[in-house]
Amino acid sequence: MARTPDAARRSETSRQAVLAATAAICAESGYQRLTIEAIAARAGVGKMTIYRWWPSKGAIVLDLLDQAAAVGIDPPDTGDLAADLRSLLVEVIDILTPLDSSPAIGLLAESLHDCALSRQVHERLIRPRIATFEQRLRRAQEVGQLPPDVDLAVALDLLYGPIYHRLAVHLDMPDDDHLDALVAHTLRALGASDTAAPPSSKDPAAPA
């Protein structure tokens, strides 16, 4: 007896082919040269199949980024606030680079002229990362690493603002030393105390 094709599996296979094709074209040619026609040809699907799931190339790229850079439910919490904030910055930089072919940069630019896309970008990519950042800072406040009156919105601008400034004026993303300095200056401005994790138990090598 012939097996009935699994429509759900076939649809998911086509969806993943579209996302893979989108990623490949962006890497090779950049977001500006990305078209629905090129995606369809690369993925081996019809344009109508694509339009059935996505209204625009921006919507496809948003799904691609959402899948590739999913944020965990819990923020990094090693106890070392500086290290944890640095890891959050690195995640954003990874999304935005390489600067000449990152689909995220093209998506952000397009969202400036597409209100519906802008809302989706904010809800699915930006707001979850802000929430993760705020959750980590609240934890730091709870354990005394940050003052209780720290304005989390200002803290967000202090830490992430320089990244988007460099992006806007076409400067390279910060290297490791610059990232460390950025985190250190931000924490100093916020009045942070010791940002390292308190020892969970007495170090046996430490003097009595």
Side-chain angles (χ1 to χ4, degrees), residues 21-22 24-40 42 57 61 100-103 106-107 110:
T22 300
I25 295 169
C26 284
E28 294 167 4
S29 307
Y31 184 90
Q32 294 303 319
R33 295 192 178 183
L34 183 69
T35 64
I36 296 296
E37 291 78 7
I39 296 170
R42 185 75 167 253
K57 71 176 186 179
V61 170
D100 59 350
S101 60
S102 167
L107 179 66
E110 184 168 338

Side-chain angles (χ1 to χ4, degrees), residues 4-208:
T4 302
D6 187 333
R9 181 178 299 174
R10 184 170 63 245
S11 294
E12 181 59 22
T13 298
S14 296
R15 178 179 176 276
Q16 292 301 324
V18 168
L19 295 178
T22 300
I25 295 169
C26 284
E28 294 167 4
S29 307
Y31 184 90
Q32 294 303 319
R33 295 192 178 183
L34 183 69
T35 64
I36 296 296
E37 291 78 7
I39 296 170
R42 185 75 167 253
V45 302
K47 287 196 298 181
M48 291 309 300
T49 296
I50 294 177
Y51 281 120
R52 190 180 306 129
W53 294 325
W54 298 281
S56 66
K57 71 176 186 179
I60 302 174
V61 170
L62 178 56
D63 263 7
L64 173 67
L65 294 174
D66 204 18
Q67 175 174 287
V71 178
I73 296 175
D74 298 318
D77 190 356
T78 63
D80 185 330
L81 180 57
D84 292 342
L85 294 182
R86 190 183 192 284
S87 72
L88 291 176
L89 281 177
V90 167
E91 185 208 14
V92 170
I93 291 172
D94 286 346
I95 293 173
L96 296 174
T97 52
L99 296 177
D100 59 350
S101 60
S102 167
I105 294 177
L107 179 66
L108 290 173
E110 184 168 338
S111 71
L112 294 175
H113 309 286
D114 184 331
C115 292
L117 181 61
S118 178
R119 286 192 295 271
Q120 286 294 308
V121 168
H122 185 269
E123 291 171 6
R124 294 171 58 184
L125 286 182
I126 297 175
R127 184 63 238 176
R129 284 162 179 79
I130 293 175
T132 297
F133 170 80
E134 291 176 343
Q135 187 177 345
R136 181 62 187 92
L137 260 59
R138 289 192 186 98
R139 171 59 181 156
Q141 289 175 314
E142 291 171 1
V143 299
Q145 293 176 324
L146 285 178
D149 61 348
V150 162
D151 187 318
L152 300 188
V154 171
L156 178 77
D157 288 345
L158 286 173
L159 190 68
Y160 288 96
I163 301 299
Y164 290 98
H165 163 74
R166 297 179 76 85
L167 178 63
V169 298
H170 305 285
L171 296 175
D172 290 337
M173 288 291 106
D175 58 20
D176 289 343
D177 289 341
H178 194 112
L179 268 183
D180 290 339
L182 173 57
V183 172
H185 280 284
T186 298
L187 290 175
R188 189 175 302 123
L190 295 175
S193 59
D194 183 10
T195 61
S200 57
S201 61
K202 184 177 176 61
D203 184 346

